[in-house]
Amino acid sequence: MNWEMLTALWPYIRRYRGRMSAGLIILLVNTAAFVLIPFEIELAINDLGRGIDVAKLLRYCLLLMVTVIARGVLNYYQRLIMITISRLIEFDLRNDLLAKLETLSQAFFQKFRTGDLMARAVNDLAAVRNMVGPGIMYSAQAVVLFVYVVAILWRQDPVLTLIAFVPAPFVSLAVQWFGKRIHERFERIQAMFSRLSTRVEENLGGLRMVRAYTREPLEEERFDRLNRQYVQHNMRLVLLAGAFDPLLQFLLGVAFVLVLWFGGRAVLEHRITIGGYAAFNLYMAQMAFPMIAMGYVINLVQRGAASFTRLRELLTQTPDIADGPATDASVTAVRGDIEFRGLNFDYDGQPVLRDLNLHIRAGKTVALVGHTGSGKSTLVSLIPRLLDAAPGMVLIDGRPIREIPLRVLRKSIGLVPQETLLFSDTLRANISFGVPNAGDAAIEEAAGIAGIAGDIADFPEAYGTRVGERGLTLSGGQKQRAALARALLRNPHILIMDDALASVDTITEDRILEQLERGRLEGGPHSRTTIIISHRISTVRNADLIAVLDHGRIVEQGTHAELIGQGGAYAELYEKQLLEEELSQVE
Ligand SMILES: Nc1ncnc2c1ncn2[C@@H]1O[C@H](COP(=O)(O)OP(=O)(O)OP(=O)(O)O)[C@@H](O)[C@H]1O
Ligand SMILES: [Mg+2]
């Protein structure tokens, strides 16, 4: 825990400073009630020593009762307030974390794997909560108690007080020495746990793969190794933490022995009363618990600090794709004219797109074909700015793409990605994803155009059918069409289909394309630019423009007829597919 970290944590605590102050005031009063108890016992012993009667006894009992009850009530509210604050701070942190993660780009998620992120979002968040809740509460309580008790003891007998605190410097040294090491080991454990989570996550995600390739024994072995390492790291922490408590207790015992010896002599020499001596011991005992708990609290704070550092690593990431100084807030719509101008793009120095020029006019249908790995998906990812090219290389409606507010840009685009993702939710929710107020009629219309309406009607609960985990499993083609419906429901000015109908049979695909085409020509609510990526000639042959990509360059472009006439790569692909078709009919 250092200053820099405190300033980072402060904004979260600040929001609850009213409650925090209330909690701390209650803590002050609560602790005062606590230290009142030995004092009352001192009074009782000294007074009763001069003569006992029932009235006196009752009076002292009553006094103690009231104090103890008051303390109980105060203690309850102190905990209630301070623990509540820690839950609220955890809540805020969790929200900030998700909000931040949602702004981060692909590159970030390649660096931080899902399992790692989950570990941070669960374990580290809990550790921070324990630091700002119990951590703050117990350390404040210990400090306040210490100040109270030392002040009281000092007035009673300064020499005896000093003697009682002879072991204190050793306690402080031990706390520092152990604290640092616990912190380090805990940090390593959390990192280890992140790796473990990543393995679990990837294994479960790819379970079908693992089974199909009978990789279970191998995966188990790898997991076993990681799991073993994790336990070993934990054991090393236990060794350390296990030695810490007994050491503290020993130092405390030494303090008690010293007080017993020197205090006893003080009583013999009539320097303090018997009651005073008893109170002295009681105060020492009251200090014992916070001292021992100090170990636990230091632990909490060290862990919390380690975890907070890990959370901050995420919270301080700057989104590399966001609105910036170039953004022109006056742009509220996109027409759909797309131009790539001298475009170069690389992944970490690996060139993928090379000096690429392509103009897609608003309202047109443009197809991209090319070998696998030629850069088609990369190219279309630049349009909704899932990836960013250097400034000036991508223009929308004739202006640099960075001038368009990200929200406006993405709202105008319907992207059907190559890998479909449906959420574990109803079909209705999946299709209306991103359009929260969509009506049933619109959802059904989108499903109709995407050619999935018929399938959905046959499902047990139609649009209310749940898909994914604990729901219906859709076929590859059904998933793709549901994803297309999702994109269509947005009524996008730009529709991008990245190999989006590859799992759909050609007859169904033709019908869907025809419906899309009709919607485009009729204009719909507005005309639409459509980009179709496909390996099938039948899918792209009717496009207004076909561009052929090869190793990140456009090697041919034109209409189907023009490209066939040129007799280049496209014509070759066409002939090959024609031949395949004929052969399959012969069989
Ligand atoms: N996130 C990434 N990081 C690094 N390299 C990548 C990344 N995504 C793609 N690539 C590389 O960029 C090149 C182009 O990939 P891209 O996905 O754009 O091809 P594609 O034309 O869509 O292929 P396909 O037809 O198989 O979908 C490939 O060589 C690929 O290995
Ligand atoms: Mg692709």
Side-chain angles (χ1 to χ4, degrees), residues 106-107 110 345-348 350-353 369-381 387 418 498-499 533-535 549 552:
Q106 222 168 303
Q110 258 156 22
F345 184 86
D346 55 53
Y347 287 111
D348 302 318
Q350 245 342 317
V352 174
L353 298 172
V369 295
H371 291 298
T372 168
S374 56
K376 305 180 294 296
S377 298
T378 307
L379 185 65
V380 295
S381 297
L387 299 171
Q418 196 162 14
D498 188 351
D499 221 0
I533 295 177
S534 179
H535 291 283
L549 236 70

Side-chain angles (χ1 to χ4, degrees), residues 185-203:
R185 292 193 184 179
F186 184 70
E187 216 165 29
R188 227 167 294 148
I189 286 175
Q190 289 300 77
M192 200 64 226
F193 186 74
S194 281
R195 284 177 57 195
L196 203 61
S197 305
T198 301
R199 275 241 72 76
V200 173
E201 202 265 333
E202 286 180 354
N203 256 294

